[in-house]
């Protein structure tokens, strides 16, 4: 697939940005590297003249930005999402280095839309937001001063994406024809499965929402690593539905 098309499939998602100037800086960072899909989740102030000023010639990306009220909605239809975090979390998705993960992101972009997800300037990404991503990336930094400006973090990842898109890349394992392969499940299909799983685990008593522990994040990490295909999601949901029928817990999910 052409590099320009791969880059056009990357959504840059800014979660709860506080400073409109950073939104403008992100748009400029994206456009210089050939990305265009700016996506905002609950921006504090947008549109705003400060965003336009900092975007300079990338105001077209601001005008075309998509705005959502939750990260879940912003990721609808994507097949792979990477969360950017300056801090390593003990319970997040599988962590990796920017170059390695951007390569995985571009392989996934052969199949559909993908996302780079950035956090708020003060508090970063919440654990819940990171849980919606398949992978986590920290940009290597001075350990004593690890937090980049939001626009700068966007620039680093967009640069890596451009380098990877224009480099010769071996065919991804997914794109090599193997029997029984179905398309990668989208974010919303996988979230539907998680909701179904939680319902059945709760109904059968395996999971107690009053004492959640680490069960749900661990299951998310397991299935996130597996990069579920659509057929596989359907099989798993079939197993859950059959369990519900057999145990009389209903099939309302
Ligand atoms: N104080 C926040 C940092 C916010 S910076 C924290 O501790 O998480 C705003 C956003 O830029 C972050 O949420 C992250 O998405 C990105 N960012 C900044 N520095 C980064 C780094 N070293 N590695 C990965 N992402 C980084």
């Amino acid at each position: 697939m052409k590099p320009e098309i791969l880059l056009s499939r990357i959504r840059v998602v800014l979660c709860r940005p506080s400073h409109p100037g950073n939104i403008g800086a992100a748009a400029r960072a994206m456009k210089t590297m050939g990305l265009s899909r700016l996506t905002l989740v609950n921006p504090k102030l947008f549109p705003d003249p400060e965003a336009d000023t900092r975007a300079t010639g990338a105001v077209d990306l601001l005008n075309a930005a998509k705005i959502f009220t939750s990260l879940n909605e912003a990721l609808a239809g994507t097949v792979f999402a990477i969360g950017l975090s300056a801090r390593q979390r003990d319970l997040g998705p599988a962590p990796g280095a920017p170059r390695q993960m951007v390569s995985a992101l571009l392989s996934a972009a052969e199949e559909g839309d993908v996302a780079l997800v950035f956090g708020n300037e003060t508090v970063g990404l919440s654990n819940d937001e990171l849980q919606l991503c398949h992978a986590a990336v920290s940009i290597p930094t001075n350990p004593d001063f690890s937090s980049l400006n939001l626009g700068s973090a966007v620039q680093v990842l967009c640069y890596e994406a451009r380098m990877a898109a224009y480099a010769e890349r071996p065919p991804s394992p997914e794109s090599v024809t193997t029997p029984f392969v179905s398309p990668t499940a989208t974010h919303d299909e996988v979230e539907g499965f998680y909701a179904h799983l939680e319902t059945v685990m709760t109904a059968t008593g395996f999971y107690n929402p009053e004492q959640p522990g680490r069960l749900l994040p661990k299951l998310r990490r397991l299935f996130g690593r597996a990069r579920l295909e659509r057929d596989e999601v359907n099989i798993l949901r079939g197993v859950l539905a059959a369990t519900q029928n057999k145990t009389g817990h209903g099939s309302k999910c």
Side-chain angles (χ1 to χ4, degrees):
M1 192 174 281
K2 284 189 167 172
E4 308 89 73
I5 297 181
L6 287 177
L7 294 175
S8 76
R9 290 183 168 190
I10 303 175
R11 300 181 198 174
V12 170
V13 184
L14 307 185
C15 293
R16 299 167 287 112
S18 321
H19 302 295
N22 282 335
I23 302 176
R28 182 176 183 174
M30 290 168 64
K31 190 167 176 180
T32 52
M33 296 297 136
L35 283 75
S36 53
R37 308 269 298 276
L38 179 61
T39 305
L40 306 173
V41 178
N42 291 328
K44 190 167 176 198
L45 217 54
F46 187 81
D48 186 86
E50 180 65 17
D52 293 2
T53 306
R54 292 284 299 279
T56 57
V59 174
D60 53 328
L61 267 65
L62 297 180
N63 293 337
K66 298 260 184 310
I67 305 179
F68 296 94
T69 53
S70 72
L71 177 57
N72 199 32
E73 291 169 77
L75 293 179
T78 57
V79 295
F80 193 68
I82 296 178
L84 272 291
S85 172
R87 293 168 289 138
Q88 205 59 255
R89 323 285 174 104
D90 60 343
L91 251 191
R99 203 154 292 168
Q100 164 205 359
M101 284 303 168
V102 164
S103 174
L105 185 86
L106 285 171
S107 297
E110 304 264 358
E111 299 171 54
D113 278 5
V114 296
L116 291 169
V117 182
F118 296 83
N120 165 272
E121 293 89 333
T122 314
V123 294
L125 284 174
S126 69
N127 284 333
D128 284 350
E129 286 166 339
L130 259 182
Q131 290 292 326
L132 295 176
C133 301
H134 295 92
V137 159
S138 294
I139 301 165
T141 54
N142 173 357
D144 299 329
F145 194 63
S146 64
S147 177
L148 279 75
N149 163 265
L150 176 56
S152 306
V154 171
Q155 185 75 74
V156 171
L157 269 289
C158 291
Y159 170 78
E160 288 291 344
R162 186 172 187 84
M163 290 303 105
Y166 281 90
E168 279 296 316
R169 288 182 308 109
S172 65
E174 291 92 330
S175 66
V176 176
T177 318
T178 46
F180 314 124
V181 169
S182 102
T184 305
T186 61
H187 171 81
D188 10 333
E189 289 165 342
V190 177
E191 286 302 316
F193 161 63
Y194 288 144
H196 197 167
L197 181 61
E198 190 175 334
T199 303
V200 174
M201 290 193 307
T202 308
T204 55
F206 183 74
Y207 172 66
N208 178 1
E210 305 293 321
Q211 290 177 327
R214 298 178 162 215
L215 181 62
L216 298 183
K218 287 205 162 195
L219 288 170
R220 277 178 177 270
R221 191 144 73 172
L222 165 66
F223 289 112
R225 262 201 321 268
R227 303 279 323 281
L228 294 169
E229 295 174 7
R230 182 166 302 149
D231 282 357
E232 293 165 342
V233 167
N234 288 337
I235 292 168
L236 289 167
R237 293 200 63 167
V239 172
L240 293 173
T243 308
Q244 287 175 308
N245 285 339
K246 202 75 180 171
T247 55
H249 287 303
S251 59
K252 215 161 75 40
C253 292

